[in-house]
Every structure is written in C-alpha cells, then in structure tokens.
Amino acid sequence: MNKRLYANTGVLTRLVFRQDRIRLTIWLAAFIVANLLVANAFATLYPSHAERQAMVETMMNPAVTAMVGPVYGLDNYTVGVMLAHEMLLLTAVVVGVMNILLVARHTRAEEEDGRVELIRALPTGRLSNVASTLLVYVMTNILLALLVAGSLMLLGIDSIDAAGSLLFGASLGVTGIFFAGLTAVFAQLSESGRGTVGLGMAVLLIAYMIRAVGDVSSETLSMFSPFGWIVRTETFVNNYWWPIFVTLGISVLFIGAAFYLNAIRDMEAGFLPSKAGKKQASRLLLSPFGLAVRLQRTGIISWAIAMFVLGASYGSILGDLESFFAENKMMKQLLGPVSGVTLTEQFITMLMAVLAMISTIPAMMFLLKLKGEEGKGRAAHLLVRSVSRIRLLGSFLVLALAGGWVMLSLAALGLGVVGNAVMEEGISLGTFYQSAMVYLPAMWVMLGLAVLLLGWAPKVTVISWLYLVYSFIVVYMGGLFQLDEWVVNMSPFGHVPELPVEEVSWMSLLGLTGIAVLLLVAGAVGYRKRDVQGG
C-alpha cells in the first residue's frame, strides 16, 4: 500500500469531525432518544402478556408487513420483539439517509465546490479525503451501534437483553456503513453532489420497496435488498447474526470500489459524465422558475418515479386485506364498522397519510434548494440582475407547490391502479385521489413553515424537517402509543379528514390553508428584508 496516497488522513479526519460535531451529536441523540421513548412506551402501554399477544394480531397483516417487515416471536410477543419489529427497519432507513447526506457532503459536494482541490494542493494524499470521510462515518456508525445497544440495556426491561440489544445496535451500524460505502461509490460516478445524493436516495427507496413487496409476496425477492437482510435478524428472539456479516462484507466491497475509482479518475470528473448543455438557453431557462426546474430536474424525475412505485407497492397488498380482516376479530374491533365503507377503505386512510407525509419531503427539498444556492453565492448573481427577491423565492415556492401536488397525485395513482388490479371489488380512482388531495393544505402548512424560516432564520431551517418527523410519529403511531388528541393536533396532518371514512371538514381544510398563507406571507416579508448570503 502506498502510504503517500493517504498522507495526513488523520488531520483531515479531525477536520471532518470538527465540521460535523454538532450534526452528528443531534443525529445520534435523536436515534437514542427515539428508541428509548418507544421502548418505554411499549413497556407502559402493553405491560401484560395478554395485551401484547392481542397486539400480535394487529401486526399480522400485509400492510404492516410491507411497512415494517414480517412479524416474528408470535408465541411470546415481548416488549423487545415489539421494539425490534416496529422500530428496527424504520430507524435503519433514517440511518441510511443520514449517511447518504453526510458522506455526499464531504466527498462530491466538497469537490464540486473546489475545496478538495485546495486540500490536494497541501501535503495530502490522493485518497486522503475519501479515506477521512469514510473513517469518520464508519466510526460514527460503530458509535451509534454501541450507544443504542448500551442505552437499551440500561432500560432494565427483562425482554431487552444484552445479546438482543447488541444485535439491534449492530443492525443500525452496519446499515449506516453500507450506505456510507455505497454513497462513496456514487460520489465517484456522479459529477455533482446533487447527483450523488439522488443516486443514493433512489437506491435506498428501491431497496425499501423491493423489501416491502418481497416480505408480502416472496421472501426470495426480499433477499435482494439490504433492508430485507436486516429485518431477518429476528432480534430479541433468535438473534441471527448472518445478516450483519453479509451487510458488512458487501459494505467492505463498496468501500474498496470507492477507493479504486477515486484513484483512477480525474479531479471533478465522474464516470457518469453529464451530457453537454445546449449552446443557447431555452425560453424556460431564461426565467427564475425555469432555472429552479433545471437545477432539480433529476430529483424531480427520480422522486416522481419513486412515489408512483411506492404507491403501487402499497397497492399490491390491498387484495389480501379483506380476507385477512375477515379472519381477524381483533382488527375488526379496532377498525369498527362504518356504514357504507369497507375495512379496506378504512385502512387506505392510514396508507394515504403516510404517502402524503412522504410526498412532503421532495416538496420541501425543492423549496429549500434556494437556501443551498444562496449558501454557495449563486442566488446573489441573480439578485444583482433584474430579478427581485420575491420573484426568486416565488419561483422555488411554485415549484415546491406543484411538485408536492404531482408527487401526491402519482402516489395516489399508483396505489389506486395497482390496488384495483388485485382487489376483487375495486374502489374508484376518484376515491383514492380525493383521499390524497385533502392532505394538500397540511403540506402547504409545512411549506409555509419552511418559507418562514427561510425568510427570518435561514440557519435553522432544519426545524421544518424536525416538525415533519414529529408529524409522522404522532400521526402514524399516535394510535399505537395512545397519544392524547392534542399531541396529534399539534401537527397539520392531524387535522385532515380521513376520506372516505369521514366527511370532508371544509373548516379544517380552510383553516390549514389560511395558516399556510399567513406563514408564506410572513416568510416572504422576511426574505425581502434580510441580507442575502453572498450578496
């Protein structure tokens, strides 16, 4: 091994740690606190064996299997099993997202901004930047595994033993290492930070959807997804370690490939080069809105495909629900009879809430791209010309509003088309579409909050993401955790009528729309007044 290729890797490692010390602290604390809160909630809400066994029946349906993986430990559904079954996969997905975003930031994004070239001018090795980034995030994921395992053991819950806790933490750690290595490879393939993140997120979503379909219909299919391996650790029951070793082995291959590709490519080049641009800009590109679309074209297309496929993957399980509900007395009692509404239609309301909140993610990304452009000094170049701040902000906002509507529409279309194909008695596409569109005002409130922060406090726009995470937890898991109604109502998604089970509450929808308008106006005023970075 040529040591010169890795010269001063230790110095760069300390630099990466220093740059991300706050981000990593927040991420790690969030993972630890979330799992501890959920474990305590399960222990409090389901203290007896009978209550937990009754809960098993609600978990044994295709929809839940598609979301969180196959249920296991049926004879003794302990708090530990419940925690692993309902939290391991979802937490692993978020761990993957964290590694994609942060590894892309320190590899391709740094190179795109010219910082890696400055570092290369110093006595550092050709591979030092990639090596330091991967070293930091491998260590971070190992630390995450140890902290999560240790915190679970300290709870003192009988069913959450040391062996299971270590496997739970290791599952999260190797998932993070897997996506860190994969993102490092994509950083060599793509020519931009945006492309690197896009490829990473696309693989993550595809892996989740392959596992979802496979867990419902074919276990063999699930084996083509890293998430399919992780959910088969059967933590706190059989404690299988083979998925950990398989995931870790493939991660090592990705890391090796990242080093090799980085060693043979030119600075700022990618193995998937962008095609040459046109000699003259199109009419669309001559406007701020056209520029916003062009900057995010790849992300828009990728998210559109992903949302349709995600809706379709959930739609594929609807054909089995009625037969499952017919044999499951517990589910009948939980859902309860509603005149003129099938049990499947009642279940669709939960699926649509999940799809609506996921559709909000790309909408907020399209809007907050403006913050990234401002941070790199590009927005200032537009504002010194005949482009007003309101027009610039409005262009990204219009793209976010339109993009959110498109993503939600495609998710509803995928759910409805595939659902009707597998159900004996179909449900009109209009019903699917209406049950999705009622979530638009809640999405507008989320965008309004992002605009407010962008206008008055751009350094803390992360609050809008945290609020979306909060909304997902309280709306999706509110019934499971038996949360008070006011906790759910703190989220705009908690005020959306669940069509077709409930009647349309125009007052709620108009109220959400009014709040969104106020937030948007206040944010626009702030953006117009504040200093623009790079200006």
Side-chain angles (χ1 to χ4, degrees):
M1 181 184 293
N2 191 340
K3 294 183 178 180
R4 288 181 298 178
L5 293 175
Y6 302 91
N8 281 315
T9 296
V11 176
L12 293 180
T13 299
R14 291 192 294 273
L15 176 62
V16 174
F17 263 125
R18 180 172 177 77
Q19 288 177 307
D20 281 357
R21 63 188 185 280
I22 297 177
R23 291 185 182 88
L24 292 179
T25 300
I26 294 173
W27 276 107
L28 293 175
F31 288 126
I32 294 169
V33 171
N35 282 290
L36 291 180
L37 288 176
V38 172
N40 271 316
F42 285 152
T44 302
L45 297 174
Y46 307 99
S48 69
H49 175 75
E51 290 174 314
R52 292 192 296 271
Q53 289 304 115
M55 192 64 191
V56 172
E57 296 190 41
T58 68
M59 297 292 104
M60 293 175 59
N61 71 79
V64 174
T65 298
M67 289 182 186
V68 299
V71 66
Y72 58 92
L74 304 181
D75 296 333
N76 186 20
Y77 198 60
T78 64
V79 172
V81 177
M82 191 181 297
L83 173 69
H85 177 229
E86 298 180 34
M87 286 298 294
L88 180 58
L89 176 61
L90 296 179
T91 309
V93 169
V94 181
V95 170
V97 170
M98 176 191 76
N99 281 272
I100 290 171
L101 294 176
L102 296 180
V103 171
R105 175 175 180 264
H106 287 285
T107 51
R108 177 53 72 171
E110 293 278 359
E111 187 171 338
E112 187 180 13
D113 292 340
R115 298 190 183 100
V116 174
E117 187 173 5
L118 292 175
I119 291 173
R120 288 272 188 91
L122 300 172
T124 60
R126 183 181 183 88
L127 301 179
S128 296
N129 185 66
V130 173
S132 60
T133 299
L134 288 174
L135 184 59
V136 167
Y137 286 101
V138 168
M139 293 170 61
T140 296
N141 287 296
I142 293 174
L143 179 62
L144 170 65
L146 295 175
L147 290 176
V148 169
S151 60
L152 290 177
M153 284 187 279
L154 290 176
L155 284 175
I157 299 175
D158 293 337
S159 58
I160 301 181
D161 57 11
S165 297
L166 287 172
L167 181 56
F168 189 99
S171 299
L172 299 180
V174 296
T175 301
I177 295 173
F178 178 93
F179 281 101
L182 183 65
T183 306
V185 172
F186 288 149
Q188 316 312 314
L189 301 180
S190 176
E191 283 192 335
S192 67
R194 184 172 67 251
T196 301
V197 173
L199 288 171
M201 291 296 186
V203 170
L204 184 143
L205 287 172
I206 291 170
Y208 179 84
M209 289 184 284
I210 288 174
R211 180 220 50 85
V213 175
D215 283 349
V216 173
S217 59
S218 171
E219 184 174 353
T220 302
L221 181 61
S222 291
M223 292 297 101
F224 288 92
S225 166
F227 296 126
W229 311 330
I230 293 302
V231 296
R232 280 163 179 78
T233 54
E234 296 191 6
T235 310
F236 297 114
V237 178
N238 294 313
N239 290 336
Y240 295 129
W241 280 85
W242 68 261
I244 306 300
F245 299 129
V246 170
T247 307
L248 190 59
I250 295 178
S251 302
V252 171
L253 295 179
F254 281 141
I255 291 173
F259 282 125
Y260 174 74
L261 294 175
N262 187 255
I264 63 174
R265 72 173 176 86
D266 293 331
M267 175 71 69
E268 297 185 5
F271 289 95
L272 299 175
S274 303
K275 65 179 181 179
K278 297 179 180 179
K279 293 182 178 179
Q280 294 182 342
S282 64
R283 293 181 61 86
L284 179 63
L285 198 56
L286 296 176
S287 66
F289 177 76
L291 178 61
V293 174
R294 179 63 183 84
L295 288 173
Q296 305 184 78
R297 180 178 61 183
T298 302
I300 293 170
I301 296 173
S302 300
W303 272 103
I305 295 173
M307 291 310 303
F308 179 82
V309 175
L310 183 60
S313 66
Y314 284 147
S316 65
I317 66 175
L318 296 181
D320 300 326
L321 287 182
E322 285 296 333
S323 59
F324 169 77
F325 289 144
E327 300 172 359
N328 195 308
K329 296 181 180 179
M330 186 69 177
M331 286 300 298
K332 283 186 175 182
Q333 293 174 356
L334 287 175
L335 293 176
V338 178
S339 177
V341 179
T342 65
L343 293 174
T344 299
E345 287 176 321
Q346 293 182 60
F347 211 83
I348 287 172
T349 61
M350 185 184 73
L351 294 178
M352 202 58 74
V354 172
L355 291 173
M357 286 182 279
I358 295 176
S359 298
T360 305
I361 296 174
M364 291 176 61
M365 291 176 65
F366 300 157
L367 173 64
L368 293 175
K369 176 65 175 177
L370 178 57
K371 178 191 175 185
E373 293 299 298
E374 180 183 341
K376 294 177 180 179
R378 297 170 184 162
H381 292 296
L382 295 174
L383 295 175
V384 297
R385 301 178 183 274
S386 57
V387 177
S388 68
R389 295 188 181 198
I390 297 301
R391 186 183 178 193
L392 181 62
L393 175 63
S395 298
F396 282 84
L397 176 59
V398 169
L399 176 60
L401 293 171
W405 169 72
V406 169
M407 301 305 161
L408 189 55
S409 297
L410 289 173
L413 183 63
L415 182 66
V417 170
V418 177
N420 280 324
V422 299
M423 288 189 294
E424 294 182 1
E425 296 183 6
I427 301 172
S428 69
L429 285 178
T431 299
F432 283 100
Y433 194 71
Q434 289 173 3
S435 64
M437 291 301 103
V438 292
Y439 283 94
L440 280 177
M443 183 185 296
W444 298 339
V445 172
M446 298 301 303
L447 291 174
L449 175 62
V451 171
L452 181 69
L453 294 171
L454 189 61
W456 292 98
K459 292 184 178 180
V460 293
T461 51
V462 68
I463 292 175
S464 59
W465 291 111
L466 295 176
Y467 188 45
L468 181 60
V469 172
Y470 169 84
S471 297
F472 182 87
I473 293 174
V474 300
V475 173
Y476 176 55
M477 298 184 174
L480 185 64
F481 293 159
Q482 299 179 13
L483 299 177
D484 293 336
E485 186 176 356
W486 69 268
V487 176
V488 178
N489 288 338
M490 289 288 289
S491 165
F493 293 94
H495 295 273
V496 177
E498 298 180 348
L499 297 183
V501 176
E502 300 175 354
E503 296 290 334
V504 178
S505 175
W506 293 107
M507 290 299 296
S508 295
L509 298 181
L510 289 174
L512 290 173
T513 303
I515 293 172
V517 171
L518 291 175
L519 291 172
L520 291 172
V521 171
V525 171
Y527 191 74
R528 185 178 180 182
K529 290 183 176 181
R530 74 169 173 85
D531 292 334
V532 174
Q533 187 175 347

